[in-house]
Amino acid sequence: MIVDAIISILFGLRYLFAYDDLSYNKIATQSPIYRRISEYEANNALDRNKTTCMRTQAIGLSSTDNSMWWKVDLGGLYNVYRITIMFKSYEEQPELRQRGRFAGFSLYISTSNERMNSTLCYKDGPQLPPLNFTTLCIGYGRYVIFYNERMPGVSYPSDYQLRNLYTELCEVIVQGCYKHNVYGADCNVPCPRNCKNNTCYIHNGTCLECNPGWTGPFCSNKCVDGRYGQNCLNTCTSHCKYNNVCNHLTGQCEGGCDVGWTGSFCEKACVQSYGENCQHPCRQHCYNKECDRFNGTCLTGCTHGFHGQKCNKDIQMIKQECSCTG
């Protein structure tokens, strides 16, 4: 009857909170392992039965270990919104002692399996936590990590227990959305279309990051003229045709390049060519085929037998014309 009542309460809370239960019956691990691991295994915190709890070996100033961790693998990358923890309580023991054992814990969300590469979403203290604890823990990841420590030489609040810290988590409920591209209490509102990886914060729909070319909380604003790319940090080239701005997504000059320039970004000066998009080759009789990239004038003179600004006049032909007219 007690178990049924607890389950009913939990399902009632789930209905009230509406978000998906991401952690139910998932795979958990813990360290240091309690000697009677079969009775206090890590997965006990995920079975939605408050009478079964996980437990680690004691940590603290009189123990071999000074830190502990418990983590759950959600089985995929999800938007996390809230975490509820039901700590072990004993009717015959003072509640403040139990709360002092758990005090100072941290919660992390990680896309990897390592706490050091995780994002801290909650740090307890200095007040003692309640034995039924809930906090917003907004992030994106696959692993949720519970961590606590009692290190020698560190000064802790007076209510913190420093020795024989048995961590006992009876239920850990990680709530969020199974779908990565939605937000809202019912996980049914699509993230804004220009959010990077179509992912947004689960509580209000603001984007974690924007696709290139967009900015703003909901990634609804195009880059201002002259800017493009990720976070609109890149500056357009000044060589787009007619001083047109570049594409706000790619930075390319869609209308072509100004005279004397070429390339997708109009970043390359003409070589042995000239004009818009460098479409005209320098005259073959320019010395070394070098010409002004803007108007085609030969820069270093003409090859033997030719003259003129573009070395397009044949000296022999001119002499013949002169002879004929003479």
Side-chain angles (χ1 to χ4, degrees):
M1 294 295 293
I2 295 176
V3 173
D4 290 340
I6 292 170
I7 292 175
S8 297
I9 291 172
L10 289 175
F11 275 101
L13 289 174
R14 185 183 185 281
Y15 177 77
L16 177 64
F17 294 154
Y19 290 102
D20 297 328
D21 184 347
L22 304 178
S23 57
Y24 175 54
N25 273 347
K26 296 299 173 61
I27 304 299
T29 52
Q30 63 191 39
S31 178
I33 296 176
Y34 189 67
R35 60 181 179 274
R36 285 154 46 199
I37 184 61
S38 60
E39 184 179 352
Y40 295 104
E41 63 182 13
N43 280 2
N44 285 354
L46 303 173
D47 60 5
R48 300 303 173 261
N49 182 354
K50 192 181 177 183
T51 64
T52 60
C53 308
M54 58 71 67
R55 179 190 287 179
T56 61
Q57 193 62 28
I59 66 169
L61 303 187
S62 59
S63 303
T64 303
D65 297 293
N66 296 116
S67 65
M68 61 74 55
W69 57 261
W70 175 93
K71 73 178 71 171
V72 56
D73 181 354
L74 302 177
L77 292 170
Y78 300 113
N79 269 329
V80 175
Y81 179 63
R82 174 172 35 221
I83 296 176
T84 297
I85 300 176
M86 298 182 181
F87 295 103
K88 178 71 173 180
S89 63
Y90 293 93
E91 293 182 1
E92 68 277 10
Q93 294 183 7
E95 180 179 315
L96 286 179
R97 191 184 77 164
Q98 280 295 88
R99 293 169 62 189
R101 284 178 168 179
F102 307 130
F105 70 89
S106 302
L107 293 173
Y108 297 85
I109 298 177
S110 177
T111 56
S112 68
N113 198 19
E114 300 297 328
R115 182 176 64 89
M116 300 307 294
N117 297 323
S118 303
T119 299
L120 177 68
C121 72
Y122 178 80
K123 179 67 173 78
D124 181 65
Q127 293 79 21
L128 299 183
L131 296 183
N132 289 338
F133 169 84
T134 298
T135 185
L136 294 184
C137 195
I138 297 170
Y140 181 68
R142 173 168 178 164
Y143 301 89
V144 172
I145 302 170
F146 178 101
Y147 174 82
N148 209 355
E149 64 182 22
R150 293 292 188 270
M151 296 296 180
V154 176
S155 178
Y156 294 97
S158 59
D159 291 335
Y160 281 35
Q161 295 293 312
L162 302 181
R163 292 174 171 81
N164 297 321
L165 270 70
Y166 289 97
T167 301
E168 298 168 295
L169 311 179
C170 297
E171 285 302 316
V172 178
I173 304 172
V174 180
Q175 293 178 295
C177 291
Y178 274 117
K179 294 181 179 179
H180 76 280
N181 58 348
V182 295
Y183 72 99
D186 294 319
C187 298
N188 62 354
V189 183
C191 290
R193 60 180 297 180
N194 294 314
C195 290
K196 188 175 181 180
N197 299 321
N198 210 17
T199 301
C200 61
Y201 283 107
I202 192 172
H203 60 302
N204 61 10
T206 57
C207 300
L208 278 70
E209 291 185 76
C210 296
N211 284 328
W214 299 93
T215 188
F218 298 95
C219 301
S220 56
N221 302 325
K222 291 173 58 175
C223 295
V224 297
D225 288 351
R227 294 280 184 171
Y228 75 96
Q230 191 69 52
N231 299 318
C232 302
L233 294 177
N234 300 317
T235 303
C236 295
T237 179
S238 59
H239 305 305
C240 292
K241 189 175 181 180
Y242 306 131
N243 291 321
N244 289 334
V245 296
C246 66
N247 184 285
H248 70 108
L249 304 178
T250 66
Q252 296 178 335
C253 296
E254 295 181 328
C257 299
D258 208 351
V259 173
W261 300 91
T262 188
S264 298
F265 301 92
C266 300
E267 78 285 10
K268 299 177 182 178
C270 298
V271 177
Q272 295 186 339
S273 58
Y274 70 99
E276 292 182 5
N277 297 307
C278 305
Q279 59 184 310
H280 304 296
C282 294
R283 295 285 182 171
Q284 63 176 332
H285 299 299
C286 289
Y287 190 76
N288 290 331
K289 294 186 178 179
E290 293 180 353
C291 65
D292 184 283
R293 56 194 173 95
F294 301 108
N295 58 26
T297 300
C298 296
L299 295 176
T300 55
C302 304
T303 58
H304 181 71
F306 290 87
H307 76 109
Q309 289 186 333
K310 295 185 178 180
C311 299
N312 56 344
K313 296 180 179 180
D314 188 326
I315 295 177
Q316 291 298 323
M317 291 294 295
I318 294 174
K319 287 182 177 179
Q320 291 176 6
E321 290 175 1
C322 291
S323 299
C324 291
T325 56

